[in-house]
Amino acid sequence: MSLPLAVTCGQLLVGGFHGTALPTSFARALADGTRGGAILFKRNLEPDVLAVVSLTDAITRSARSDLPPLVAVDQEGGRVARLGPPVLALPPMATLAAIGDVALAERAARAQAIELAALGFTSSFAPVLDVNVNPANPVIGDRAFGADAATVARFGDAWVRGLRAGGLLACGKHFPGHGDTSKDSHFDLPIVDATRARLDAVELAPFASAIRAGVDALMSAHVVYPALDADHPATLSRAICTELLRERLGFRGVLVSDDLEMKAISDRYGIEDAVVATIDAGCDAVLICSDETLQARAHEALVKRAESTPAFRARCEDAAARVLAMRRRVRPRATLDREVLRAIVAGPESRAVVEEIAARRGAA
């Protein structure tokens, strides 16, 4: 890497912010290379698609041309959809999978990706690759394609293909599996006390399949798996992020942490320790989804550790090279023309998908 160390470390940080306009502070961080992109939520996104495009375009224009930003959104379907009408509205993934048509799921993902790309996004943090084996799970539920690994793998692979065909980076989540938890990692630290054999057969199977299907990125889970690492949640575990994911499963894409502001992490670790441990474990990009002060502290911590520890500096350089290679493959390309945008968002391909899903659900 030929980038200054501050920029190298900055490329590992994807942040969020408050409001529907890009804050000057966040724009400055993109311009000086101390942020690698943005994740947008409902709080950022107005119903008017031109307002959405204006925001994503501001993010893109703020970043250096040689450092194209990740512009990400959680647009799964069902209850996890940050963009409302007129953007394509999809049912929960469990409902879609229950129709039983993998080709239809792939077309739905492609139609969604075409719209999101036109709105200036480069990645949807989807598909959910968790196997929903715990009926008491408070956070996954119908976000998963199903309760068996084979169904999740088939439909997850289709979602990866569809997103990529529509021009988006796919990011499967939550590695190595959040489907058997009874706690929500937004609020507490879950533990999945399954045997290694069960993890291999159930939780890991959809991720292994998605890797073979060419998924661009995966997102780590803030969950402890004693059979894999009794001492650390997956996000902070070298045994899981590097030894299992990279060395055993052969993943060569980008590993993104779930939000480090979630209480499973923030109640137990300061942001400085958490971000260093996350990168050291093997994550390539870190999400800090709302607090710009925490983002700045995380950046300072990464630089400080990289300055004092050559091995950690090499880890940051490796991660930055990987995330930049991915982001340069899919650059933001917002459609600024209102009439062209109207022809894409809620356009013929999306309407055909909505009509077919409705017809197939009605016939079931």
Side-chain angles (χ1 to χ4, degrees):
M1 294 289 292
S2 58
L3 298 173
L5 182 59
V7 176
T8 296
C9 293
Q11 296 311 294
L12 314 186
L13 297 173
V14 177
F17 51 83
H18 293 277
T20 56
L22 181 65
T24 301
S25 53
F26 201 98
R28 188 180 305 115
L30 289 166
D32 64 22
T34 58
R35 297 294 178 279
I39 177 171
L40 301 182
F41 293 88
K42 282 185 178 181
R43 65 177 183 254
N44 306 120
L45 300 166
E46 298 184 51
D48 180 7
V49 292
L50 273 188
V52 174
V53 166
S54 178
L55 177 57
T56 61
D57 186 54
I59 292 168
T60 302
R61 286 186 291 102
S62 296
R64 287 169 35 174
S65 60
D66 62 326
L67 303 174
L70 186 75
V71 187
V73 67
D74 293 296
Q75 190 74 4
E76 299 169 13
R79 58 196 160 98
V80 180
R82 312 307 189 196
L83 290 146
V87 173
L88 172 63
L90 293 173
M93 295 299 99
T95 300
L96 191 56
I99 296 172
D101 189 335
V102 171
L104 175 58
E106 186 171 339
R107 290 199 301 277
R110 181 179 184 274
Q112 183 190 74
I114 288 170
E115 289 192 356
L116 292 176
L119 290 169
F121 293 96
T122 63
S123 179
S124 175
F125 286 153
V128 169
L129 297 174
D130 305 313
V131 183
N132 188 43
V133 295
N134 188 341
N137 196 314
V139 66
I140 302 301
D142 63 3
R143 295 169 64 193
F145 288 106
D148 66 279
T151 295
V152 175
R154 286 171 55 235
F155 282 89
D157 289 357
W159 213 260
V160 170
R161 293 193 300 269
L163 290 180
R164 297 189 74 189
L168 278 194
L169 299 164
C171 180
K173 58 193 186 188
H174 306 80
F175 183 81
H178 208 316
D180 194 18
T181 61
S182 57
K183 296 178 179 179
D184 181 347
S185 54
H186 289 85
F187 306 108
D188 205 346
L189 180 62
I191 298 173
V192 174
D193 201 11
T195 66
R196 179 60 183 268
R198 211 298 291 276
L199 291 171
D200 285 344
V202 179
E203 276 78 7
L204 293 175
F207 292 96
S209 186
I211 289 168
R212 292 191 295 270
V215 68
D216 303 284
L218 294 175
M219 181 182 291
S220 67
H222 300 331
V223 178
V224 173
Y225 307 81
L228 302 174
D229 184 338
D231 299 321
H232 307 94
T235 299
L236 278 63
S237 170
R238 181 173 177 79
I240 293 172
C241 293
T242 298
E243 294 169 15
L244 174 60
L245 182 59
R246 298 284 184 203
E247 296 171 7
R248 182 176 160 220
L249 296 181
F251 181 56
R252 296 292 176 263
V254 169
L255 181 59
V256 182
S257 83
D258 209 342
D259 183 9
L260 293 190
E261 293 181 73
M262 291 163 61
K263 290 186 179 298
I265 300 298
S266 63
D267 280 356
R268 293 162 177 83
Y269 306 89
I271 191 63
E272 291 84 359
D273 290 340
V275 73
V276 168
T278 296
I279 297 300
D280 203 34
C283 286
D284 303 302
V286 173
L287 293 179
I288 303 175
C289 289
S290 65
D291 191 326
E292 289 188 69
T293 299
L294 289 182
Q295 293 161 27
R297 286 170 53 190
H299 179 255
E300 183 179 356
L302 291 175
V303 172
K304 183 176 180 180
R305 179 60 64 90
E307 286 175 336
S308 65
T309 310
F312 187 76
R313 180 174 187 143
R315 171 81 268 275
C316 291
E317 290 172 346
D318 172 67
R322 191 175 287 119
V323 297
L324 277 170
M326 182 184 75
R327 283 159 35 198
R328 286 166 177 163
R329 288 202 311 271
V330 177
R331 294 170 178 259
R333 54 190 192 285
T335 300
L336 300 176
D337 185 291
R338 178 182 287 273
E339 295 308 313
V340 175
L341 199 58
R342 281 178 173 171
I344 297 171
V345 176
E349 187 162 351
S350 295
R351 291 197 302 271
V353 163
V354 169
E355 290 167 4
E356 184 169 356
I357 290 173
R360 299 287 291 278
R361 290 177 69 181

